[in-house]
Each structure stands twice: as structure tokens, then as C-alpha cells.
Amino acid sequence: MQCWRGSGPRSKGTGTDTQLKPDVTYPDPLIWTTTKDDRVGPQHTRKFAAKMAEFHEPYHFYEVIEAGHGSGAAAQQTAHTEALNLVYLQQKLVKSNPAAQGGNITSRHTKAAH
């Protein structure tokens, strides 16, 4: 279980996407980025998601269009992104604990823009 937000490589060839290996089972991450991030370009996050898809690994992808280096340009968008994070984590905790009850995030391999 993990929420992952893209980050640029610290040095050439050490980006998170280059660390993924075929034939390894990974937990299905919530991968999210913002289109207008001026510090961590969304291309790193997109490359990570593309690598997950290349290896046929499940993942959830969300891209915030309005935001810069954060989860939303306005309070409503920030609340929406943070709610996605919390629902994802709650879903994963429920999945790992059959005694718990809760909702689901059902989309995979989708790009949502709000």
C-alpha cells in the first residue's frame, strides 16, 4: 500500500521509474501529479505510471490540471485530491483487514482531470 507522488531523479538513471523491474509483484499504488508543477515535472510521474502499465501491474493514476507544486490550486481541488488519498488508504487498509468495512476506488489505468 502506498501513495506515490512523482519526484525527479536525483542523478541520471536513478529515477523511481528506472527502479521498477519486470516479473516483480508491486502493490497497486495511487500515483498522482499536477500538470503545472514547476518543481517536479509531471513527466516523471507519467513515466512511472507508464512503466507500471508496461509491466502489466495495477495502479491508480490521477493528474490535477490546475495545481502547481501541491494538491490543488483552490481549496476545493485540494480537498478533492486529499479525499482521493484518504479513500485510497482506507480502501487498502480495509483490504488488508477483512473485519473492517468501507468504500472502494474502482478505476485503474485512468487519467482523471477536474
Side-chain angles (χ1 to χ4, degrees):
M1 153 181 65
Q2 62 184 347
C3 283
W4 187 84
R5 180 157 192 276
S7 63
R10 288 175 184 75
S11 62
K12 189 174 183 176
T14 61
T16 309
D17 61 298
T18 63
Q19 312 254 338
L20 293 173
K21 306 294 180 215
D23 302 319
V24 174
T25 302
Y26 294 100
D28 56 328
L30 172 58
I31 305 167
W32 68 271
T33 188
T34 62
T35 303
K36 298 177 182 176
D37 192 332
D38 60 345
R39 295 182 211 150
V40 180
Q43 69 274 14
H44 300 294
T45 309
R46 293 177 191 142
K47 284 171 56 178
F48 182 81
K51 187 68 83 168
M52 292 290 287
E54 178 185 329
F55 294 154
H56 305 287
E57 292 292 331
Y59 65 92
H60 308 275
F61 184 87
Y62 181 69
E63 184 165 341
V64 182
I65 303 249
E66 303 88 18
H69 189 72
S71 58
Q76 183 178 4
Q77 180 62 57
T78 299
H80 178 80
T81 304
E82 294 306 317
L84 287 176
N85 286 332
L86 292 173
V87 169
Y88 169 80
L89 289 172
Q90 188 270 339
Q91 177 186 353
K92 295 299 157 187
L93 292 172
V94 167
K95 188 175 183 178
S96 66
N97 180 2
Q101 301 285 325
N104 290 320
I105 296 175
T106 56
S107 63
R108 291 201 177 184
H109 303 274
T110 59
K111 180 178 177 181
H114 293 99

